[in-house]
Amino acid sequence: MKKSYLLTLVRHGETLENRQGIIQGHMNVPLSPFGVEQARCLGKVLVKESQRYSHVFSSDLQRARQTAETVLNTTGGEELWAGLEIYNDLNLRERNYGTGEGKSRGELAREARSKGIRADVYLPPGAEEDEEMRLRASAFFSKLNTLLCDSLFKEGSAVAGDQGASGPAANTLHAIVFSHGGLICHLLHLLSCSTPFTNKAQHKGSLLRVPPNTARSTFVIEVRAGQSEPLRVTCVKAHDMSHLDDLTRP
């Protein structure tokens, strides 16, 4: 028997460090006032769309957790999201940038040049390697997929259909995940490597870029009982920023 669930990935709102081009990594910094407004705008649109979620996950770093809390505290979301808990997961953290944390991108570029390394591939001492990031993304998705599959296929559960993200039925399992640009890129790559991958939203290469702050991407994950890997992943919304159309930077 095949069933499906929805998965939405959201990058945290803007921080002052984002605005200043500072590498944050595991730095525990809050949203800027503008980042809070971005999260509020996202929450208002989700309420307007009557989006319902069965599970909420977040990086434990303040900027991601604050984004999740701001969204879920949106006026009008009480009935939609009543009783939802935010589950912190350390695997959703941004890359640990080692000695590069707190430095500007310009500083890191100069470090790279001094060592004869291209700036776009340079990792400062102590930084996580791509493989470590990939393993964290894979571990999180495996846990999430197992959790939702267990809920889908347990006796008496409601069947989740292949609805689009704009209007899932009330009984559709839908997990929303608040994380960071680097980790989301690895999750997107993981999802796009699922076989077969169907991207209805836009070109796959564009999907795999770092998402802007509070951008959301939504997928339909088709699964079968007893199988650990998805049967099909369909992207129905990629890096959507429409909630910010009326927001102007002060």
Side-chain angles (χ1 to χ4, degrees):
M1 178 186 297
K2 295 187 294 184
K3 295 186 179 183
S4 62
Y5 63 87
L6 294 170
L7 171 63
T8 292
L9 305 177
V10 178
R11 186 186 176 195
H12 64 80
E14 186 179 274
T15 65
L16 292 177
E17 287 76 10
N18 283 143
R19 185 68 173 161
Q20 296 165 358
I22 301 297
I23 302 297
Q24 296 163 96
H26 285 190
M27 290 172 60
N28 207 18
V29 299
L31 299 180
S32 67
F34 186 72
V36 172
E37 286 304 311
Q38 289 178 317
R40 286 175 178 161
C41 288
L42 176 58
K44 290 175 183 177
V45 167
L46 297 180
V47 168
K48 185 177 180 180
E49 294 176 353
S50 296
Q51 294 284 359
R52 295 182 181 272
Y53 301 105
S54 54
H55 302 77
V56 184
F57 296 90
S58 175
S59 158
D60 67 316
L61 295 177
Q62 186 178 0
R63 57 194 185 272
R65 176 85 187 195
Q66 188 181 359
T67 302
E69 291 172 346
T70 301
V71 168
L72 294 184
N73 287 332
T74 301
T75 301
E78 300 87 349
E79 292 185 11
L80 290 172
W81 309 319
L84 277 181
E85 293 185 43
I86 302 172
Y87 294 98
N88 288 345
D89 194 308
L90 271 63
N91 280 326
L92 290 173
R93 283 187 170 197
E94 182 57 280
R95 184 195 298 271
N96 182 339
Y97 273 95
T99 61
E101 293 185 4
K103 296 181 179 179
S104 70
R105 296 191 180 279
E107 287 179 279
L108 290 190
R110 289 191 290 273
E111 281 186 19
R113 286 196 297 271
S114 72
K115 298 180 179 183
I117 303 173
R118 288 198 346 252
D120 61 328
V121 297
Y122 174 65
L123 288 176
E128 275 186 282
E129 299 287 344
D130 283 343
E131 179 63 10
E132 294 175 279
M133 291 283 286
R134 186 192 69 78
L135 289 173
R136 283 206 282 123
S138 180
F140 171 76
F141 180 73
S142 178
K143 181 177 78 171
L144 178 146
N145 189 61
T146 298
L147 176 65
L148 270 69
C149 283
D150 287 348
S151 297
L152 280 172
F153 293 107
K154 70 181 179 182
E155 186 176 356
S157 68
V159 175
D162 290 327
Q163 300 96 329
S166 60
N171 64 348
T172 300
L173 292 184
H174 189 169
I176 185 168
V177 176
F178 296 86
S179 187
H180 307 265
L183 198 283
I184 288 176
C185 277
H186 282 272
L187 282 172
L188 292 172
H189 189 268
L190 179 70
L191 291 170
S192 71
C193 287
S194 297
T195 305
F197 175 82
T198 304
N199 183 1
K200 292 183 177 180
Q202 64 186 76
H203 189 269
K204 178 176 172 179
S206 298
L207 175 67
L208 297 182
R209 65 184 175 86
V210 176
N213 293 108
T214 68
R216 58 172 168 153
S217 299
T218 298
F219 304 84
V220 178
I221 313 290
E222 188 177 315
V223 292
R224 190 190 302 275
Q227 292 190 5
S228 60
E229 297 296 325
L231 295 175
R232 184 181 301 272
V233 176
T234 301
C235 179
V236 293
K237 191 183 295 290
H239 298 327
D240 181 65
M241 298 287 291
S242 58
H243 57 283
L244 300 183
D245 286 349
D246 297 326
L247 181 64
T248 57
R249 187 180 294 279

